Amino acid sequence: MSLLTRNIASLGFFQVASHLIALASVPFMARVLGVSSFGEFVLTQAAMRYCILFVDFGFLWSATRQIAASRASEVQVSAIFSRTWVLQWLLVAIVAVLLATLLLCIPALRPSLWLCIAGFSMVIGSAAAPTWLLLGLERMNAVAISQGFANLLALVLLFVFVDGPGDVALALVIYGGALAATNATLTWWILRKGLVRWSAPSRTELLQTAKDGFPVFVSTIFVSFYTVLPALAVGALSSATAAAYFNVADKARAAATSAMQPAFTALLPRMSHLFVHDRRGARILLRRSIVATAGVSGAASIVLFFGAELIVNLVGGQSFVPATSVLKWMSPLPFVVSMSSIASLQILLPNQKIKQFNGVLMMAGAVSLASIWPFVQLGAELGAAQCLLLTELLVCAAMWRFAILTVLRKDP
C-alpha cells in the first residue's frame, strides 16, 4: 500500500470517527441546553471561528504547500515551522486584544463577554499544534488521531459536567480545553520525534511569512462570508432559536461533507509535488480522484435529502423538526463542495493559480455578503441555507472554469 493510500485510509477512518463523535454531542447539547441556550452556544462558536481564521492566517494552505515542496530538506522545513508558529502565536495575542477591546467598548456586546472569554479557549486550542506542518510532511494520521481524541475527550466531559441551560460557558471551555490539551500533546510528540529543529526567526522572515500567507488569508475571509457568516446572520437578524435549527442541519451536512475531506487533505501536498515533477502522473491521479469523489459525495447528498427527517430527529430530537427543510436545501452541498474542492485544491493551488483562486472566493464572498440579509429576512434559517447553496454552486462553476482554462487545456 502506497504512502498516499495509507494517508487517505488512516485519515479517512479517524476523521469520520471524529465527526461521528462530534455529531454525537449535538443531540445531548441540544436537549440539555434547550433550543435558545444551544443557539447562544453555536453563535459563540461561530464568532470564535472568525478569530481562528485570523490566527490561522491562511497557513493551513500556504505553509502546507511550502513544507510539501521543501520536505526533502530538514533545515528548510524547520525554518518554515519556526517562523510560521511564532507568527501564529503573535496573531493569537493580537486577536485577544482586539476581541477584548470590542467587548468592552461596544455596549451591545457586553452581555456576551463571559461566553466569548470561555469560547476563546477554542482559539488557543486551535493554535496549540502546527497542523500545517504535519499535513505538509504527509503525517495525516497524527492529525486525525489528535482531532478524534479531542472530540472524544470533550464528549465525555460534556456528559459529566453539563446538565442545564446555564452551562453554556462551561461547555465552551470544555471544547476549547480538550482541543488545547490534545494539540499540546501533539506538539510535544512532534518535538520529541525530532521532525523539526527550532531556529529563532528574524523580523524579515516573519514579515515574509505573513506576506506569503496573506493572499490565502484573504480568500479564507471571503469563504467565511458564506460558511461562517450565515449562522451569525441568522442569530443576529432572526433569533438564537433559528440559529439552533440552522446549526443542527449544518452539523449533519458537515458530517456528510467530511466523507471526502481526508482525500483532499492528503492529496493537496501530493498534487503540489506531482504538478512540479510529474504532470502526467498528476493528471492520472486527478482522474481517479474525480471519479471517486463524484461517487462518494453524490451518495452522501442523496442520503441527506431522502433521510433528512430521520437525521434531524436523531441529531436534535422532535424540538428541532423545522431543521428538516433546512437540511433538504443543504443536501446537494456534499457533492457541490467536493467537486469544487477538486478544482481548487487539486488543480488551481498546486499550479500556483492563487490569483484565480482568490478571485473566485472574493466573488462568492461578495455575493453571499450582499444576499444573506434579504435571504435571512425572508426565510430565516431556510433562507440562510438557500443562500449557502446558491453561493457554493457559483464557486464550483467558477473554480472549474478557471481550472480548465488556465491548467487543463494547456497541458499536453
Side-chain angles (χ1 to χ4, degrees), residues 34-324:
V35 177
S36 180
S37 292
F38 183 68
E40 293 178 356
F41 174 78
V42 300
L43 285 174
T44 305
Q45 279 192 319
M48 291 306 107
R49 284 177 64 188
Y50 264 107
C51 294
I52 291 172
L53 282 177
F54 279 90
V55 169
D56 179 70
F57 208 74
F59 299 142
L60 198 59
W61 290 346
S62 62
T64 295
R65 190 173 62 245
Q66 290 176 4
I67 290 170
S70 307
R71 61 189 177 197
S73 171
E74 181 183 337
V75 173
Q76 291 184 29
V77 169
S78 295
I80 295 169
F81 160 76
S82 299
R83 61 180 182 251
T84 304
W85 214 36
V86 167
L87 184 57
Q88 196 160 31
W89 280 104
L90 287 174
L91 288 169
V92 170
I94 292 171
V95 168
V97 172
L98 291 176
L99 180 62
T101 302
L102 289 174
L103 290 171
L104 293 174
C105 294
I106 302 178
L109 296 179
R110 287 176 190 168
S112 303
L113 175 64
W114 291 110
L115 289 182
C116 288
I117 291 174
F120 199 77
S121 61
M122 299 168 60
V123 181
I124 296 172
S126 176
T131 304
W132 33 265
L133 169 68
L134 295 170
L135 295 180
L137 295 175
E138 296 196 44
R139 298 288 189 113
M140 285 78 174
N141 55 339
V143 176
I145 291 171
S146 176
Q147 290 175 346
F149 189 75
N151 284 330
L152 180 59
L153 178 60
L155 182 63
V156 172
L157 293 175
L158 288 170
F159 283 158
V160 173
F161 294 106
V162 176
D163 59 9
D167 290 334
V168 176
L170 176 60
L172 291 166
V173 170
I174 286 174
Y175 268 102
L179 184 61
T182 52
N183 276 351
T185 304
L186 181 60
T187 300
W188 171 82
W189 175 82
I190 290 170
L191 297 174
R192 189 171 181 225
K193 290 279 289 185
L195 298 182
V196 291
R197 297 182 183 276
W198 174 258
S199 59
S202 66
R203 182 182 300 178
T204 301
E205 288 175 328
L206 292 176
L207 291 174
Q208 184 59 47
T209 302
K211 182 179 178 181
D212 292 340
F214 185 74
V216 182
F217 166 68
V218 171
S219 70
T220 60
I221 292 297
F222 278 97
V223 168
S224 75
F225 288 157
Y226 59 90
T227 56
V228 181
L229 184 62
L232 287 171
V234 171
L237 300 176
S238 184
S239 66
T241 299
Y245 295 148
F246 180 87
N247 184 263
V248 164
D250 197 46
K251 288 286 186 184
R253 189 274 312 165
T257 304
S258 72
M260 291 307 303
Q261 193 58 45
F264 299 144
T265 303
L267 283 168
L268 174 58
R270 178 58 60 92
M271 295 299 284
S272 297
H273 179 79
L274 287 177
F275 270 114
V276 173
H277 301 286
D278 181 11
R279 295 190 73 85
R280 181 175 178 275
R283 291 178 71 91
I284 292 172
L285 185 57
L286 179 62
R287 284 195 292 269
R288 293 174 180 172
S289 176
I290 291 173
V291 172
T293 299
V296 175
S297 62
S301 288
I302 292 171
V303 170
L304 280 186
F305 182 82
F306 289 102
E309 185 174 356
L310 175 62
I311 293 169
V312 168
N313 281 332
L314 289 174
V315 175
Q318 286 295 322
S319 58
F320 284 83
V321 169
T324 301

Side-chain angles (χ1 to χ4, degrees), residues 379-400:
E381 68 274 10
L382 199 62
Q386 293 164 346
C387 181
L388 178 59
L389 176 59
L390 171 64
T391 308
E392 290 287 8
L393 285 170
L394 291 174
V395 170
C396 186
M399 287 292 186
W400 274 104

